[in-house]
Amino acid sequence: MNKLYVLALSASLASPLAFADTKPVSIDNKPAFIASLMKQMTLDEKIGQLRLISIGPEMPAKEIVKEIAAGRIGGTFNSVTRAENRPLQDAAAKNSRLKIPMFFAYDVIHGHRTIFPISLGLASSWDMQAVERVGRVSAIEASADGLDMTFGPMVDIARDPRWGRTSEGFGEDPHLVSEAARATVRGLQGKSASAPDSIMASVKHFALYGAIEGGRDYNTVDMSPMRMYQDYLPPYRAAIDAGAGGVMVALNSINGVPASSNMWLMQDLLRKDWGFKGVTVSDHGAITELMRHGVAKDNREAAKLAIKAGIDMSMADTSYGAELPGLVKSGEVNIKDIDNAVREVLGAKYDMGLFHDPYRRIGKASDDPAETNAESRLHRDDARDVARKSLVLLENRNQTLPLKKGGTIALVGPLADTQIDVMGSWSAAGFLKQSVTVRQGLQNALGQQGRLIYARGSNITEDKKIVEYLNYLNWDAPEVVQDPRLQVEMLEEAVKAAQQADVIVAAVGESRGMSHESSSRVSLDLPANQRVLLEALKATGKPLVIVLMNGRPLNLTWAQANADAMLETWFPGTEGGNAIADVLFGDYNPSGKLPITFPRSVGQIPSYYNHLRLGRPFTPGKPGNYTSQYFDEENGPLYHFGYGLSYTDFTVSDVTLSSQTMQRKGSVDASVRVKNTGQRDGATVVQLYIRDVAASVVRPVKELKDFRKIMLKAGEEQVVRFKIDEDKLKFFNPKLQNVAEAGAFDVQIGLDSQNVKQASFDLK
Ligand code: BGC
């Protein structure tokens, strides 16, 4: 399209009357271009732009085309091929009166056609280049399918693993999640969201969705402003500062006001304080849900509250279309409120490059891929590399791992050979036949060497109600396929396999649907039948390697005590099985670290590492002394934040500070010497924590402020230096000012959050 996009020119393709008195406007002048377009729009056309509709059960395709041509839909989601999207774009860009292009969105959360590890796994890599690469590859693949926008990254801080959507985010820590948020936005949007191989990010779920009470999905959030600002809001802000063009609004209420009608959240914080300039999108049906929250008596009031709060687009919701015309007519809603929303929607379309070329991602029909799921469209090397980095070695007694490629391996467990689970939830554009299971991965690695005996050993669960629930969640195919054999038959087969083997690899955990939206659990245990399987395997006396798949911290106390080795693989994606084999056989030395605390029991939740200091903190070894503890369980987590083993050993020297004092606006360098003292090359994550020794309010025991992933050859050492400036010492005080207070600070550096070396300095 040439530089001078003339609305009058496009008018010649539409109704000749539409632009009768329109002056030429340069497409390079975004505000003027959009203002000029808005002048041409009827109220109905404006309201039409605010409607984001799901392709699928909501409306048959034919009807959607008609609605689009009538100017009553602004964008759609859930259509994921160029061929599906083209007729919809034709309806808008060729057949509607004003030819305003549509945009096409989808939940591209951890890959598109190629599925990468779930976000919790990505965070475990602590490798932000890898996270950015995932975003980039996702954008390349999604844009090649005609998509313009994703509802991601999902950056809700999760401190309660009962919440099924823990799997979808990057863990419990504000700093790590913020870094991952930035990296993802950079990857998705590339140099510009308008590039044909970029897609626009819309960060979600704004805000605080991860803090729902009790980890029960869609529950309420009640939180002090200090905690919000300090711990939960930074990741959304990070994504926005990185340029995310969109924000998806959360389903929950915050201190009594639903996010979708929350003026403070949407106006004061997002628009005024943070200066967000992009488009806001409601979550699925959230505007109508304002009635169920009990803040709107009817749909009319719901629409009014949402548009006034600043919800630009309503997702899968008819209240805007049905109610806004009447509300404007009666004067209850000002046309300015509508215009503000329309401006943002058109602005986002502009930023996606769609006014320049509505087909920039859909392309020409003649260029459509012959086969959507063609192998050639995948990025397997990237997927395998990132998946290897996301695996966390939790235990390795007597150097059980790496395994030798030889001898006999018994591979057992309900997750050993299931292609659907490897991909994790929110991976619907992934083609499950292309994902590599643990069984396939081990077989690929072994080739002709050694022998692999497989036995399923158990179902995911024998609880029929749970199976029914999990299968209800998916309308395409059953999520969980039950082996019709009796539990005891499967068990016997598995034990027989184990008896013939030199080592047992047991792939156990959750099916992917167990860690998903609307999949909250009261228990973090492995399902009982899987535990029975592990106990029977253990009883054979053969070395037991547990390979876990799960989307949340599980209660692993039995496994921790009984496994000879244990590898956390989350849901590792398309190349999962190969990546797992790489680590099990030592072709890759594991380097992942936990981005979330693993408690010993559900009763300890919340169990995050960066909790506030207490007047009576728990004193190890002194059970009855009136300190903060549970008397019926060992205190502290099972695996702490930042933890993860390697096949090599590292040492960390004492911390050297460049100065004992720091001036305002100055900085102090903190350095350690990290040495690989083992026999193998390996990577590790050096983590910097800071503790405010005494402040005007209670501060956390420590907070992650920086980290560096380094690669060291066997015997090699490296000095790792962190620059600490005033920003790293700041916190939000009761007036919500971001301040650093004078006084002492402890600097802790280590390879996890607990085993650290410490030094201190004073801020003047
Ligand atoms: C989820 C969102 C998602 C949307 C569209 C909702 O149920 O909460 O995260 O983006 O559906 O699929």
Side-chain angles (χ1 to χ4, degrees):
M1 177 65 67
N2 64 30
K3 283 284 223 168
L4 252 199
Y5 183 104
V6 182
L7 283 177
L9 171 83
S10 68
S12 66
L13 303 167
S15 154
L17 294 175
F19 296 97
D21 59 353
T22 311
K23 290 202 192 92
V25 175
S26 164
I27 196 172
D28 291 336
N29 185 342
K30 178 180 165 187
F33 173 78
I34 289 172
S36 167
L37 181 53
M38 283 175 61
K39 270 196 206 142
Q40 318 302 316
M41 296 171 78
T42 63
L43 179 62
D44 281 351
E45 283 166 336
K46 286 179 178 175
I47 293 169
Q49 285 301 309
L50 311 185
R51 183 168 175 210
L52 177 61
I53 190 171
S54 170
I55 301 288
E58 234 178 291
M59 203 186 270
K62 259 197 189 157
E63 203 177 315
I64 287 184
V65 166
K66 264 202 232 150
E67 286 287 288
I68 294 172
R72 283 198 286 265
I73 297 180
T76 68
F77 63 108
N78 284 343
S79 51
V80 281
T81 64
R82 292 153 59 117
E84 277 176 284
N85 289 337
R86 189 171 293 108
L88 307 182
Q89 192 62 293
D90 286 347
K94 292 187 177 152
N95 301 330
S96 74
R97 190 178 77 91
L98 291 177
K99 306 190 175 353
I100 299 172
M102 294 277 291
F103 73 82
F104 303 98
Y106 193 56
D107 289 284
V108 180
I109 304 298
H110 53 107
H112 182 61
R113 297 290 169 195
T114 308
I115 301 301
F116 289 89
I118 57 166
S119 303
L120 206 49
L122 297 179
S124 301
S125 75
W126 294 58
D127 180 336
M128 295 305 124
Q129 279 171 354
V131 175
E132 184 171 339
R133 186 145 40 103
V134 173
R136 191 83 288 272
V137 170
S138 304
I140 289 169
E141 292 185 357
S143 60
D145 274 344
L147 295 170
D148 308 299
M149 183 195 259
T150 173
F151 303 132
M154 190 283 215
V155 302
D156 304 323
I157 295 282
R159 290 172 166 182
D160 189 332
R162 287 174 294 184
W163 189 41
R165 301 192 84 166
T166 299
S167 59
E168 231 182 293
F170 298 101
E172 75 186 24
D173 181 69
H175 180 72
L176 183 59
V177 179
S178 298
E179 289 296 311
R182 270 188 275 273
T184 307
V185 173
R186 280 197 304 269
L188 290 169
Q189 298 193 166
K191 285 204 181 77
S192 156
S194 68
D197 66 352
S198 289
I199 57 173
M200 183 174 275
S202 45
V203 59
K204 69 186 182 188
H205 303 81
F206 189 66
L208 322 182
Y209 187 13
I212 44 172
E213 282 180 1
R216 182 160 47 78
D217 215 352
Y218 318 125
N219 206 354
T220 54
V221 173
D222 213 308
M223 189 186 287
S224 77
M226 270 204 293
R227 172 168 286 186
M228 263 184 216
Y229 275 70
Q230 193 61 33
D231 297 340
Y232 281 82
L233 292 174
Y236 309 107
R237 176 88 197 251
I240 288 167
D241 289 349
V247 165
M248 182 189 282
V249 183
L251 293 162
N252 51 278
S253 63
I254 297 172
N255 296 346
V257 183
S260 307
S261 63
N262 198 314
M263 294 288 273
W264 164 77
L265 182 75
M266 302 303 299
Q267 298 291 347
D268 299 344
L269 184 69
L270 181 67
R271 297 286 185 193
K272 290 191 194 117
D273 287 2
W274 293 3
F276 177 64
K277 297 264 182 314
V279 68
T280 59
V281 177
S282 83
D283 202 344
H284 207 281
I287 297 176
T288 304
E289 285 172 19
L290 291 174
M291 287 191 287
R292 299 221 194 102
H293 279 291
V295 297
K297 62 176 183 303
D298 52 23
N299 241 332
R300 185 180 168 90
E301 196 173 4
K304 180 171 139 187
L305 287 172
I307 194 80
K308 281 187 173 294
I311 311 294
D312 299 332
M313 290 195 99
S314 73
M315 178 191 281
D317 201 306
T318 50
S319 38
Y320 272 6
E323 306 296 346
L324 288 180
L327 285 164
V328 173
K329 216 173 177 185
S330 71
E332 286 166 89
V333 165
N334 198 306
I335 187 70
K336 271 198 191 136
D337 293 324
I338 309 279
D339 282 350
N340 287 341
V342 174
R343 197 174 303 111
E344 303 305 356
V345 175
L346 298 178
K349 291 181 176 184
Y350 183 99
D351 293 342
M352 291 184 250
L354 293 167
F355 282 110
H356 289 76
D357 179 6
Y359 297 90
R360 68 173 24 191
R361 300 188 182 86
I362 293 173
K364 289 197 242 98
S366 53
D367 294 337
D368 284 359
E371 171 55 63
T372 306
N373 293 312
E375 259 302 310
S376 57
R377 303 187 84 209
L378 299 187
H379 292 80
R380 284 194 182 273
D381 291 348
D382 290 308
R384 182 163 178 167
D385 184 47
V386 176
R388 303 193 309 184
K389 290 177 168 155
S390 73
L391 308 182
V392 187
L393 184 63
L394 297 175
E395 297 293 336
N396 195 17
R397 298 194 169 96
N398 308 318
Q399 297 187 316
T400 305
L401 294 178
L403 301 176
K404 285 179 212 67
K405 287 183 187 163
T408 302
I409 299 172
L411 175 66
V412 179
L415 288 153
D417 200 23
T418 103
Q419 290 182 301
I420 194 166
D421 295 306
V422 168
M423 296 200 300
S425 65
W426 296 107
S427 55
F431 186 41
L432 71 96
K433 293 217 165 74
Q434 285 169 329
S435 68
V436 180
T437 65
V438 182
R439 183 182 186 184
Q440 190 59 53
L442 293 187
Q443 198 59 70
N444 292 344
L446 285 174
Q448 299 306 310
Q449 301 155 280
R451 186 168 157 235
L452 186 69
I453 320 174
Y454 165 73
R456 178 160 171 163
S458 80
N459 283 316
I460 284 286
T461 172
E462 290 297 335
D463 186 323
K464 286 201 176 62
K465 270 203 188 142
I466 291 180
V467 173
E468 222 171 82
Y469 184 75
L470 295 172
N471 284 341
Y472 169 79
L473 285 176
N474 188 300
W475 43 73
D476 292 338
E479 279 278 318
V480 181
V481 179
Q482 293 297 92
D483 192 313
R485 286 176 295 170
L486 289 175
Q487 190 181 347
V488 57
E489 283 177 67
M490 283 191 271
L491 202 61
E492 273 169 18
E493 185 191 45
V495 168
K496 238 183 238 161
Q499 280 160 345
Q500 298 167 55
D502 303 307
V503 61
I504 308 161
V505 174
V508 294
E510 301 182 297
S511 75
R512 68 169 189 172
M514 288 170 79
S515 276
H516 186 49
E517 182 177 346
S518 188
S519 294
S520 298
R521 297 181 63 190
V522 296
S523 160
L524 300 179
D525 292 346
L526 282 176
N529 58 320
Q530 293 193 49
R531 169 74 176 269
V532 168
L533 170 65
L534 288 180
E535 284 173 6
L537 295 172
K538 175 73 185 171
T540 65
K542 298 290 169 83
L544 177 62
V545 177
I546 296 182
V547 169
L548 294 163
M549 274 184 216
N550 46 291
R552 52 157 69 83
L554 294 178
N555 175 3
L556 298 171
T557 44
W558 184 91
Q560 190 262 351
N562 289 283
D564 294 283
M566 183 149 62
L567 185 68
E568 176 58 80
T569 77
W570 310 111
F571 296 107
T574 304
E575 278 290 307
N578 285 331
I580 290 168
D582 287 340
V583 166
L584 292 182
F585 291 117
D587 295 323
Y588 181 82
N589 188 354
S591 60
K593 302 275 187 178
L594 294 178
I596 191 163
T597 303
F598 276 48
R600 290 173 184 278
S601 93
V602 158
Q604 289 181 321
I605 294 171
S607 55
Y608 53 97
Y609 83 96
N610 47 349
H611 56 84
L612 295 184
R613 286 165 65 184
L614 304 177
R616 294 185 175 192
F618 169 64
T619 322
K622 293 194 176 168
N625 65 349
Y626 286 83
T627 59
S628 184
Q629 60 185 293
Y630 296 104
F631 71 80
D632 56 352
E633 175 59 275
E634 202 176 311
N635 283 279
L638 186 67
Y639 294 114
H640 41 258
F641 178 81
Y643 168 84
L645 300 172
S646 164
Y647 293 152
T648 190
D649 295 310
F650 298 98
T651 56
V652 179
S653 72
D654 286 338
V655 178
T656 307
L657 295 179
S658 61
S659 169
Q660 301 304 307
T661 55
M662 185 175 137
Q663 303 301 326
R664 300 268 163 187
K665 304 215 164 72
S667 65
V668 166
D669 279 358
S671 53
V672 289
R673 190 171 280 277
V674 184
K675 184 166 185 187
N676 180 347
T677 55
Q679 304 303 310
R680 302 174 61 109
D681 301 351
T684 190
V685 183
V686 190
Q687 303 163 32
L688 169 80
Y689 296 88
I690 293 184
R691 166 185 163 106
D692 198 339
V693 176
S696 57
V697 294
V698 179
R699 303 280 298 118
V701 288
K702 63 179 71 185
E703 291 171 296
L704 181 74
K705 290 293 174 180
D706 207 348
F707 58 88
R708 200 127 336 126
K709 189 156 190 177
I710 58 168
M711 176 75 201
L712 292 177
K713 293 205 180 322
E716 194 187 351
E717 61 179 5
Q718 188 181 320
V719 173
V720 177
R721 188 166 281 117
F722 294 102
K723 186 175 165 172
I724 302 172
D725 58 14
E726 211 181 321
D727 269 354
K728 288 197 168 57
L729 311 179
K730 283 185 175 168
F731 66 96
F732 286 93
N733 67 17
K735 290 184 181 154
L736 301 178
Q737 296 154 328
N738 200 211
V739 294
E741 291 179 352
F745 288 87
D746 293 337
V747 176
Q748 302 182 345
I749 303 180
L751 304 181
D752 62 56
S753 61
Q754 301 310 309
N755 301 300
V756 291
K757 296 288 175 62
Q758 182 171 310
S760 306
F761 70 89
D762 274 332
L763 173 68
K764 289 293 170 196

